[in-house]
Amino acid sequence: ASNTSPLAWTDKPSGLTVAAASVRWGRVARLDLATIEAGAVRLRTSTNEGNSYSVATTIDAGPGNTQVCSIVGASNARHIYWRNSAGAVKGQILDNAGNVVHATFTAYAGPVGDSPISVDESTRVGAAHRLVMHVSEGGAIKEIYSTDGKTFT
């Protein structure tokens, strides 16, 4: 038997009006909150478990962006991906300090459906580290991969 308490959740209104959001725990005790607000992709960070967030940094002004996902990679790089108005998945990679390492690029031309997208890390046995992304294409879920975080196939 364990004497530990179960994890307690607390809901706290953010005051944000968003169409989509992605929250990721960084490797340096930081939460990253990527959002779609009025068609723009924005990124905020929190060093106090989400009690407060930084001023938003605009990653892509839009308009027409509809979905967002993010990941903090093994090298502490912050990968932000979003669906644009044409249905392509765009991306940007930032370093731990928030500096742009790879400016906006097309990660997957699609077109993908206007459904949530997700990205995570994966390592195949005997193979290199890679990112795996799930998108909706033609009404079906499609799994695509990247070894550089920029080009998914």
Side-chain angles (χ1 to χ4, degrees):
S2 173
N3 291 329
T4 61
S5 300
L7 184 63
W9 293 97
T10 303
D11 290 337
K12 181 178 178 186
S14 67
L16 302 174
T17 301
V18 304
S22 173
V23 178
R24 286 296 185 141
W25 185 252
R27 299 177 189 276
V28 290
R30 178 191 65 230
L31 276 175
D32 286 347
L33 173 62
T35 60
I36 301 287
E37 300 172 49
V41 180
R42 304 201 190 281
L43 179 65
R44 293 173 175 82
T45 60
S46 173
T47 56
N48 59 9
E49 299 178 348
N51 284 308
S52 62
Y53 284 90
S54 66
V55 173
T57 298
T58 299
I59 302 296
D60 185 86
N65 298 314
T66 60
Q67 300 295 333
V68 66
C69 66
S70 61
I71 187 168
V72 178
S75 65
N76 232 4
R78 298 149 72 187
H79 301 249
I80 314 297
Y81 300 99
W82 63 94
R83 180 193 180 275
N84 73 1
S85 60
V89 177
K90 302 297 240 180
Q92 195 174 104
I93 301 175
L94 311 171
D95 66 13
N96 186 49
N99 301 305
V100 175
V101 175
H102 293 286
T104 300
F105 54 86
T106 300
Y108 184 69
V112 301
D114 190 14
S115 298
I117 55 179
S118 68
V119 65
D120 215 331
E121 294 180 292
S122 171
T123 304
R124 290 187 307 187
V125 174
H129 177 266
R130 65 184 179 171
L131 295 181
V132 58
M133 184 180 289
H134 293 95
V135 296
S136 171
E137 190 171 58
I141 300 299
K142 184 172 185 176
E143 189 171 270
I144 53 180
Y145 305 95
S146 174
T147 56
D148 65 3
K150 292 176 60 178
T151 304
F152 286 81
T153 55

